[in-house]
Amino acid sequence: MIDQVFEQIEAMGDVTVDRALAAALPTADRAALGRIARLVLKRGEPVGTIGLVLHFHRLPEATQREVVAHVPELYRPLREASSRTRSEGPANVIEIVHRSANPHLAYLVADQLRHAAPSLRAAAAACLRELAERAATSDDPEVYPKFDAAAAGYIASALDDAVRAFARHEQERVLLAAMAMLPRPVPGLASVLEQDRRHPAIAAAVRLIERAEHWPACRAAVALLGVETLRKACVAGLRAAAASGRAGSALAHYHLLGLPAIGRVLARVDRPQTLLPNSDELEHLPAHEARGLPAWLAAVGLEPATRVEQLAGLVALPDAAARLFALRRLMQLADDAAVSAAAAPPAAGLAMAMVNAPAAGGDGGGTVAGRGETVRQAAHDAVACFCDDAELATARLAVRYLIARRYAGLSRLLARLLNSPHAPLRRIAADQLGPVGFSRLWDLWPRLEESRRLAAAQALIKIDPNFHRQLADRLRVDDRKTRLRALSIIHGLNQGPFFEAALTELAASADEVVASAAVRALGSAESPEAVESLEAALEHPDARVRANAVEALSQVRSTRHVQTLVQMATADKAARPRANAIDALLQMRTSDAIRGLSRMLADPRPGHRASALWLVQQAQMLTLARHVAEMSLGDPDTEIRQRARAVIRELLEPAEQSETGLTGAAGVAGVAGMAG
């Protein structure tokens, strides 16, 4: 029956039906309310929809959601309902605008601040603040604006009226809403804060900014630094935000620091360190806020040296753009310091020279020029750290800058960059090092790590056609130290074929140290003449030469000297040549190797037994594990026993894991028991 009634009502086109439906809303039960409301919405007549807004608070939740979804169709009913101050209309309008977040209706909420009862003003102010925060410009590039510029304009216009009426409603949330909109223009805010010093909004704004409890106030503290009536409050608010770990909101507005009115204030602030975020906040700054750190550090009135130190620490920031910004600030600081040092007037006369002279052992930092030079050098050192940046563009910018400025540590930096993961940087370093590369490599060779040695030398060989000639010149010098370094470079770079004649000559030198180094370097030359020279060195009276000759021959993989190696493996008086001979035989997989190693393990000389243990360890000779275990218990030398225990433990560990060894798991357990 009821369904038929609603169907007939829906078919009627008379406006009196809508008036009757609206009149039924106050008395209908909750079951009927939903059906009446949906019918009113469907008919869409203002006479009925006004009643729907006036009685919105009585509607079921599901029906309220339907009404909110139809807000774009209810602009006129909402406007009329908001003017009926003796009804629930104003409160319902505020609630509907709040739930729909419709910026076109912000003016209705602002009107309530002027005309509604005091009890509704707080709700209206809260609604305006939420709309303003939705319209706030986002500093995070990953977050798109929730409202477009036109929609934000409606909210700014409503806030303009609300701020001007602050003396009437005194709602601090309205000021927070206006602050959230910054730097979007809110003319009423500027008018109130700048033109009338006695306006109550100023005192309220000072309280909000100084407490720095809300992000709109923290962020607005930067934008409002240029307002004279709020300048002290803004500085105090920035300090409070930094101390409480909320400086990020201010950092995100770094683009405003370029405004002269704001930049001048920050540059003159005393105790500028108190404006910087604390270490805990720095570790968790999101990328869009971290990007403001370089500009912030450059704007506050830090000492140049302190500023350089702070900017240098930003090299560890995870955000690539933030690191790039820090690098550019450092480059600007270095150039400014250079200009300052160059523009410093020269000391006039002896008296001025004595006044400006540094103390004994000083660096000249007391003069303007000296301080500028110190800052410039520190900034260049900081820029050098960015040459290792993970981003190629950033690292290349730093390298190019330091090359152009003739950085004092450029040679060391370029040598390091020869091992850079960025191929373009390696090429830049190689191109720059070419003219002076050999001399630098020669000087740094003893201190460079092997990987860096190889990278630097390989690059130099490619770019310097005189590399081998300069190295050959060093070989001809009579000084032993020079020859040994040249031989070390030849050996380290496997350049024996280029110097075969010179190495063969030096291998026969009366200086055993030079001869042994030459023999070692000759191992990379595989010609028959080189092999003959190495085979002859096996008979050399010096043990170092013989030992190096065995290693070099292993490198060229010659087998003509096997009988000589067999003899050395059993009869050589020196431990190292004998051990090297056995090692070479092991590589050739001859039966003489095991026999020679067993004899060496039983040799009465401790040095020979120690070398034999080293061979067992290197070759992982499980077949000799029992012999080593017996040595760990019965060798007369304490050090040999200890060494044998270490070797047997290393031998048995992988065997125990795989249950393989001398005679399976039982054999391994037996040897382990012998070794204790």
Side-chain angles (χ1 to χ4, degrees), residues 93-149:
V93 167
I94 293 172
E95 178 63 16
I96 291 171
V97 174
H98 164 69
R99 291 174 62 170
S100 67
N102 191 308
H104 297 271
L105 300 174
Y107 75 99
L108 293 179
V109 181
D111 285 345
Q112 301 308 314
L113 290 169
R114 288 178 177 270
H115 308 298
S119 58
L120 288 182
R121 291 173 183 169
C127 181
L128 276 180
R129 180 180 175 186
E130 183 172 335
L131 287 173
E133 291 184 359
R134 284 174 174 264
T137 56
S138 175
D139 303 295
D140 188 347
E142 302 298 327
V143 178
Y144 293 95
K146 302 177 183 68
F147 291 136
D148 58 23

Coordinates of all heavy atoms in Angstrom, one line a residue, residues 93-149:
V93 N 24.1 23.0 7.3 CA 24.9 23.4 6.2 C 26.4 23.2 6.5 O 27.1 22.8 5.6 CB 24.6 24.9 5.9 CG1 25.6 25.5 4.9 CG2 23.2 25.0 5.3
I94 N 26.8 23.6 7.7 CA 28.2 23.5 8.0 C 28.6 22.0 8.0 O 29.7 21.6 7.4 CB 28.5 24.0 9.4 CG1 28.3 25.5 9.5 CG2 29.9 23.7 9.9 CD1 28.4 26.2 10.8
E95 N 27.8 21.1 8.5 CA 28.0 19.7 8.5 C 28.1 19.1 7.0 O 29.0 18.3 6.7 CB 27.0 18.9 9.3 CG 27.1 17.4 9.3 CD 28.4 17.0 10.0 OE1 29.1 17.8 10.7 OE2 28.8 15.8 9.8
I96 N 27.2 19.6 6.2 CA 27.1 19.1 4.8 C 28.4 19.6 4.1 O 29.0 18.8 3.3 CB 25.8 19.6 4.1 CG1 24.6 18.8 4.7 CG2 25.9 19.3 2.6 CD1 23.3 19.3 4.2
V97 N 28.8 20.8 4.2 CA 30.0 21.3 3.6 C 31.2 20.6 4.1 O 32.1 20.3 3.3 CB 30.1 22.9 3.8 CG1 31.4 23.4 3.2 CG2 28.9 23.6 3.1
H98 N 31.2 20.4 5.4 CA 32.4 19.6 6.0 C 32.5 18.2 5.3 O 33.6 17.8 5.0 CB 32.2 19.5 7.5 CG 33.0 18.5 8.1 ND1 34.4 18.6 8.2 CD2 32.7 17.3 8.7 CE1 34.9 17.6 8.8 NE2 33.9 16.8 9.1
R99 N 31.4 17.5 5.2 CA 31.4 16.2 4.7 C 31.6 16.1 3.2 O 32.2 15.1 2.7 CB 30.1 15.4 5.2 CG 30.1 15.2 6.7 CD 28.8 14.6 7.1 NE 28.5 13.3 6.6 CZ 27.6 12.5 7.0 NH1 26.8 12.8 8.0 NH2 27.4 11.3 6.4
S100 N 31.1 17.1 2.5 CA 31.3 17.1 1.1 C 32.6 17.7 0.6 O 33.1 17.4 -0.5 CB 30.2 17.8 0.4 OG 30.2 19.2 0.7
A101 N 33.2 18.5 1.5 CA 34.5 19.2 1.2 C 34.3 20.0 -0.2 O 35.2 20.0 -1.0 CB 35.7 18.3 1.1
N102 N 33.2 20.6 -0.3 CA 32.9 21.3 -1.6 C 33.4 22.8 -1.4 O 32.9 23.6 -0.7 CB 31.4 21.3 -1.9 CG 31.1 21.8 -3.3 OD1 31.6 22.9 -3.7 ND2 30.4 21.0 -4.0
P103 N 34.5 23.2 -2.2 CA 35.1 24.5 -2.0 C 34.1 25.6 -2.5 O 34.3 26.8 -2.0 CB 36.3 24.5 -2.9 CG 36.0 23.4 -3.9 CD 35.2 22.4 -3.2
H104 N 33.2 25.3 -3.3 CA 32.3 26.4 -3.8 C 31.3 26.9 -2.7 O 30.8 28.0 -2.8 CB 31.4 25.8 -5.0 CG 32.2 25.4 -6.2 ND1 32.5 26.3 -7.2 CD2 32.8 24.2 -6.5 CE1 33.3 25.7 -8.1 NE2 33.4 24.4 -7.7
L105 N 31.2 26.1 -1.7 CA 30.3 26.5 -0.6 C 31.0 27.0 0.6 O 30.4 27.2 1.7 CB 29.5 25.2 -0.1 CG 28.6 24.6 -1.2 CD1 28.0 23.3 -0.7 CD2 27.6 25.6 -1.7
A106 N 32.3 27.3 0.5 CA 33.1 27.8 1.6 C 32.5 29.2 2.1 O 32.6 29.5 3.3 CB 34.6 28.0 1.2
Y107 N 32.0 29.9 1.2 CA 31.4 31.3 1.6 C 30.3 31.1 2.6 O 30.1 32.0 3.4 CB 31.0 32.1 0.4 CG 29.7 31.6 -0.3 CD1 28.5 32.3 0.0 CD2 29.7 30.5 -1.1 CE1 27.4 31.9 -0.6 CE2 28.5 30.1 -1.7 CZ 27.3 30.8 -1.4 OH 26.2 30.4 -2.0
L108 N 29.5 30.0 2.4 CA 28.4 29.8 3.4 C 28.9 29.6 4.8 O 28.3 30.1 5.8 CB 27.5 28.6 2.9 CG 26.8 28.8 1.6 CD1 26.0 27.5 1.3 CD2 25.8 30.0 1.7
V109 N 30.0 28.8 4.9 CA 30.6 28.6 6.2 C 31.2 29.9 6.8 O 31.0 30.2 8.0 CB 31.7 27.5 6.1 CG1 32.3 27.3 7.5 CG2 31.2 26.2 5.5
A110 N 31.8 30.7 5.9 CA 32.4 32.0 6.4 C 31.2 32.9 6.9 O 31.4 33.6 7.9 CB 33.2 32.6 5.3
D111 N 30.1 32.9 6.2 CA 28.9 33.7 6.7 C 28.5 33.3 8.1 O 28.1 34.2 8.8 CB 27.8 33.5 5.7 CG 28.0 34.3 4.4 OD1 28.9 35.1 4.3 OD2 27.3 34.0 3.4
Q112 N 28.6 32.0 8.4 CA 28.2 31.6 9.8 C 29.1 32.2 10.8 O 28.6 32.4 12.0 CB 28.2 30.1 9.9 CG 27.3 29.4 8.9 CD 25.9 29.9 8.9 OE1 25.3 30.1 10.0 NE2 25.3 30.2 7.7
L113 N 30.3 32.5 10.5 CA 31.2 33.2 11.5 C 30.7 34.6 11.8 O 31.0 35.1 12.9 CB 32.6 33.2 10.9 CG 33.3 31.8 10.9 CD1 34.6 31.9 10.1 CD2 33.6 31.3 12.3
R114 N 30.1 35.2 10.8 CA 29.6 36.5 11.1 C 28.2 36.6 11.8 O 27.9 37.4 12.6 CB 29.4 37.3 9.7 CG 30.8 37.7 9.1 CD 30.5 38.3 7.8 NE 31.7 38.8 7.1 CZ 32.2 40.0 7.3 NH1 31.6 40.9 8.1 NH2 33.3 40.4 6.6
H115 N 27.3 35.6 11.3 CA 25.9 35.8 11.7 C 25.4 34.7 12.6 O 24.4 34.9 13.3 CB 25.1 35.8 10.4 CG 25.5 36.8 9.4 ND1 25.5 38.2 9.7 CD2 26.0 36.7 8.2 CE1 26.0 38.9 8.7 NE2 26.3 38.0 7.7
A116 N 26.1 33.5 12.7 CA 25.5 32.4 13.5 C 25.8 32.6 14.9 O 26.5 33.5 15.4 CB 26.1 31.1 13.0
A117 N 25.1 31.8 15.7 CA 25.3 31.8 17.2 C 26.7 31.4 17.5 O 27.4 30.7 16.8 CB 24.3 30.9 17.8
P118 N 27.2 31.9 18.7 CA 28.6 31.6 19.1 C 28.8 30.1 19.1 O 30.0 29.6 18.8 CB 28.7 32.2 20.4 CG 27.7 33.3 20.4 CD 26.6 32.9 19.6
S119 N 27.8 29.3 19.4 CA 28.0 27.8 19.5 C 28.4 27.2 18.1 O 29.0 26.1 18.1 CB 26.8 27.1 20.1 OG 25.7 27.4 19.2
L120 N 28.0 27.9 17.0 CA 28.3 27.3 15.7 C 29.6 27.8 15.1 O 30.1 27.3 14.1 CB 27.2 27.7 14.7 CG 25.8 26.9 14.9 CD1 24.9 27.4 13.9 CD2 26.0 25.4 14.9
R121 N 30.1 28.9 15.7 CA 31.3 29.5 15.2 C 32.5 28.5 15.2 O 33.3 28.5 14.2 CB 31.7 30.8 15.9 CG 30.6 31.9 15.6 CD 30.9 33.1 16.5 NE 29.8 34.1 16.3 CZ 29.7 35.2 17.0 NH1 30.5 35.4 18.0 NH2 28.7 36.0 16.7
A122 N 32.7 27.8 16.3 CA 33.8 26.8 16.3 C 33.7 25.8 15.2 O 34.7 25.4 14.6 CB 33.8 26.2 17.7
A123 N 32.5 25.3 15.0 CA 32.3 24.3 13.9 C 32.6 24.9 12.6 O 33.2 24.2 11.7 CB 30.9 23.7 14.0
A124 N 32.2 26.1 12.4 CA 32.4 26.8 11.1 C 33.9 27.0 10.9 O 34.5 26.8 9.8 CB 31.7 28.1 11.0
A125 N 34.6 27.4 11.9 CA 36.1 27.6 11.8 C 36.8 26.3 11.6 O 37.7 26.3 10.7 CB 36.6 28.3 13.1
A126 N 36.3 25.2 12.2 CA 37.0 23.9 12.0 C 36.8 23.5 10.5 O 37.7 22.9 9.9 CB 36.4 22.9 13.0
C127 N 35.6 23.7 10.0 CA 35.3 23.3 8.6 C 36.2 24.1 7.6 O 36.7 23.6 6.7 CB 33.8 23.6 8.3 SG 33.3 23.2 6.6
L128 N 36.3 25.4 7.9 CA 37.1 26.3 7.0 C 38.6 25.8 7.1 O 39.3 25.8 6.0 CB 37.0 27.7 7.4 CG 35.9 28.5 6.9 CD1 35.9 29.9 7.4 CD2 35.9 28.5 5.4
R129 N 39.1 25.4 8.3 CA 40.5 25.0 8.4 C 40.7 23.7 7.6 O 41.7 23.6 6.9 CB 40.8 24.8 9.8 CG 42.3 24.3 10.0 CD 42.7 24.1 11.4 NE 44.0 23.5 11.4 CZ 44.7 23.0 12.5 NH1 44.1 23.1 13.7 NH2 45.9 22.5 12.4
E130 N 39.7 22.8 7.6 CA 39.9 21.5 6.9 C 39.9 21.8 5.4 O 40.7 21.2 4.7 CB 38.7 20.6 7.3 CG 38.9 19.2 6.6 CD 37.9 18.2 7.1 OE1 37.4 18.3 8.2 OE2 37.6 17.3 6.3
L131 N 39.0 22.7 4.9 CA 39.0 23.0 3.5 C 40.3 23.7 3.1 O 40.8 23.4 2.0 CB 37.8 24.0 3.2 CG 36.4 23.4 3.2 CD1 35.4 24.5 3.1 CD2 36.3 22.4 2.1
A132 N 40.8 24.6 4.0 CA 42.1 25.2 3.6 C 43.2 24.3 3.6 O 44.1 24.4 2.7 CB 42.3 26.3 4.7
E133 N 43.3 23.3 4.5 CA 44.4 22.3 4.5 C 44.3 21.4 3.2 O 45.3 21.0 2.7 CB 44.3 21.5 5.8 CG 44.7 22.3 7.0 CD 44.8 21.5 8.3 OE1 44.5 20.3 8.2 OE2 45.1 22.0 9.3
R134 N 43.1 21.2 2.7 CA 42.9 20.4 1.5 C 43.4 21.3 0.3 O 43.9 20.7 -0.7 CB 41.5 20.0 1.3 CG 41.0 18.9 2.1 CD 39.5 18.7 1.9 NE 39.0 17.5 2.6 CZ 38.8 16.3 2.1 NH1 39.2 16.1 0.8 NH2 38.4 15.3 2.7
A135 N 43.3 22.6 0.4 CA 43.7 23.4 -0.7 C 45.2 23.9 -0.6 O 45.7 24.6 -1.4 CB 42.8 24.7 -0.7
A136 N 45.8 23.5 0.6 CA 47.2 24.0 0.8 C 48.1 23.5 -0.3 O 48.0 22.4 -0.8 CB 47.7 23.5 2.1
T137 N 49.0 24.3 -0.7 CA 50.0 23.9 -1.7 C 50.9 22.9 -1.2 O 51.4 23.0 -0.1 CB 50.9 25.1 -2.1 OG1 51.5 25.7 -1.0 CG2 50.1 26.2 -2.8
S138 N 51.0 21.8 -1.9 CA 51.8 20.6 -1.4 C 53.3 20.9 -1.8 O 53.6 21.2 -3.0 CB 51.3 19.3 -2.0 OG 52.2 18.3 -1.7
D139 N 54.2 20.7 -0.9 CA 55.6 20.8 -1.2 C 56.2 19.5 -1.6 O 57.3 19.4 -2.1 CB 56.3 21.3 0.1 CG 55.8 22.6 0.6 OD1 55.9 23.6 -0.1 OD2 55.2 22.6 1.7
D140 N 55.4 18.4 -1.4 CA 55.9 17.1 -1.8 C 55.5 16.9 -3.3 O 54.3 16.8 -3.6 CB 55.3 16.0 -0.9 CG 55.9 14.6 -1.2 OD1 56.6 14.5 -2.2 OD2 55.6 13.8 -0.4
P141 N 56.5 16.7 -4.2 CA 56.1 16.5 -5.6 C 55.3 15.2 -5.9 O 54.7 15.1 -6.9 CB 57.5 16.5 -6.3 CG 58.5 16.1 -5.2 CD 57.9 16.7 -4.0
E142 N 55.4 14.3 -4.9 CA 54.6 13.1 -5.1 C 53.1 13.2 -4.8 O 52.3 12.3 -5.0 CB 55.2 12.0 -4.2 CG 56.7 11.7 -4.5 CD 56.9 11.2 -5.9 OE1 56.1 10.5 -6.5 OE2 58.0 11.6 -6.5
V143 N 52.8 14.4 -4.1 CA 51.4 14.6 -3.7 C 50.8 15.7 -4.6 O 51.3 16.8 -4.6 CB 51.3 15.0 -2.2 CG1 49.9 15.3 -1.8 CG2 51.9 13.9 -1.4
Y144 N 49.7 15.3 -5.3 CA 49.1 16.3 -6.2 C 48.1 17.2 -5.4 O 47.6 16.7 -4.4 CB 48.4 15.6 -7.3 CG 49.3 14.9 -8.3 CD1 49.6 13.6 -8.2 CD2 49.9 15.6 -9.3 CE1 50.4 12.9 -9.0 CE2 50.7 15.0 -10.2 CZ 51.0 13.7 -10.1 OH 51.9 13.0 -10.9
P145 N 47.9 18.4 -5.8 CA 46.9 19.3 -5.0 C 45.6 18.6 -5.0 O 45.1 18.0 -5.9 CB 46.9 20.6 -5.9 CG 48.2 20.5 -6.6 CD 48.5 19.1 -6.9
K146 N 44.9 18.7 -3.8 CA 43.6 18.2 -3.6 C 42.5 19.0 -4.3 O 41.5 18.6 -4.6 CB 43.3 18.0 -2.1 CG 44.3 17.1 -1.4 CD 44.0 17.0 0.1 CE 45.1 16.2 0.8 NZ 46.4 16.9 0.8
F147 N 42.8 20.3 -4.5 CA 42.0 21.2 -5.2 C 42.8 22.0 -6.3 O 43.9 22.2 -6.1 CB 41.4 22.3 -4.2 CG 40.4 21.7 -3.2 CD1 40.4 22.1 -1.9 CD2 39.4 20.8 -3.7 CE1 39.5 21.6 -1.0 CE2 38.5 20.3 -2.8 CZ 38.5 20.7 -1.4
D148 N 42.1 22.3 -7.4 CA 42.8 23.1 -8.4 C 42.8 24.5 -8.0 O 42.3 24.9 -6.9 CB 42.2 22.9 -9.8 CG 40.7 23.2 -9.8 OD1 40.3 24.0 -8.9 OD2 40.0 22.7 -10.6
A149 N 43.5 25.4 -8.8 CA 43.6 26.8 -8.4 C 42.3 27.5 -8.3 O 42.1 28.3 -7.4 CB 44.5 27.5 -9.5

